Amino acid sequence: MTHKRVAILVSGGGSNMVALVDSMTGDHPARPCLVLSNDPKAGGLVKAAERGVPTAFVDHRPFKGDRAAFEAELMKPLLAAEPDIICLAGFMRVLTAGFVSQWNGRMLNIHPSLLPKYKGLHTHARALEAGDSEHGCTVHEVTAELDDGPILGQARVPVLPGDTPDILAARVLEQEHKLYPAVLRRFAAGDRTPVLLG
């Protein structure tokens, strides 16, 4: 069996990356080929290296907002790793349409809301402010539009009395660690049927 090659992009500690990497064993149709970060000090790089996954970084700061130049550098280790699928896992840089189009239909992202609700940042606080009874996370295909694209999975969690954004975020993160690996496994097998949890 030929495994699909998966590159994972992170900016921080990489807890979703760890969930993905740790799931890609046994009869899983994919294997990690690279963990790439925009921050040389990202904790996710250390965790990936501990798991034997090749790592690379392209520090975004020297590019001073020149996204095209940053993405041109980002593309080099990606192309060298020859991934079939790219997973954004807490990658905190907005990617241009030019970059995204080169991976059309092959790039996934996890977002901490029940899309199409609450695109962008501060999703947990916004759900609480709106008085929502449930919240959650979504895995979707990446398109040029921010936090858009076909939905491949969602996990729902109840909003409970006394929830703060941090408490709610922690409950959602637990579901992210279940949802993203489940979606990747299905997606790598060529199945785009959405995974629904909770």
Side-chain angles (χ1 to χ4, degrees), residues 19-167:
L20 291 172
V21 168
D22 288 354
S23 75
M24 284 186 266
T25 59
D27 63 356
H28 196 292
R31 290 292 184 269
C33 65
L34 176 69
V35 170
L36 176 60
S37 182
N38 61 300
D39 183 351
K41 295 190 172 72
L45 293 174
V46 176
K47 291 172 189 164
E50 287 170 355
R51 285 162 171 76
V53 181
T55 62
F57 65 85
V58 178
D59 191 338
H60 67 274
R61 284 166 293 204
F63 296 93
K64 294 182 173 46
D66 185 343
R67 288 201 287 175
F70 167 65
E71 289 174 354
E73 284 304 305
L74 200 64
M75 196 65 94
K76 291 175 184 175
L78 269 181
L79 291 176
E82 299 183 325
D84 301 296
I85 299 167
I86 294 176
C87 290
L88 305 180
F91 187 68
M92 302 307 290
R93 308 304 298 170
V94 175
L95 296 166
T96 66
F99 184 92
V100 169
S101 66
Q102 297 185 62
W103 305 100
N104 199 26
R106 296 189 290 153
M107 187 185 291
L108 310 182
N109 181 47
I110 189 156
H111 182 73
S113 79
L114 295 172
L115 290 174
K117 279 187 166 185
Y118 312 128
K119 297 178 181 184
L121 300 174
H122 311 301
T123 60
H124 311 299
R126 288 156 69 193
L128 289 171
E129 283 162 15
D132 291 355
S133 62
E134 63 174 11
H135 186 45
C137 53
T138 304
V139 177
H140 63 98
E141 280 187 52
V142 177
T143 60
E145 201 71 34
L146 180 69
D147 297 329
D148 206 62
I151 288 174
L152 297 169
Q154 288 191 319
R156 297 171 182 274
V157 302
V159 177
L160 303 176
D163 271 350
T164 64
D166 286 346
I167 291 169

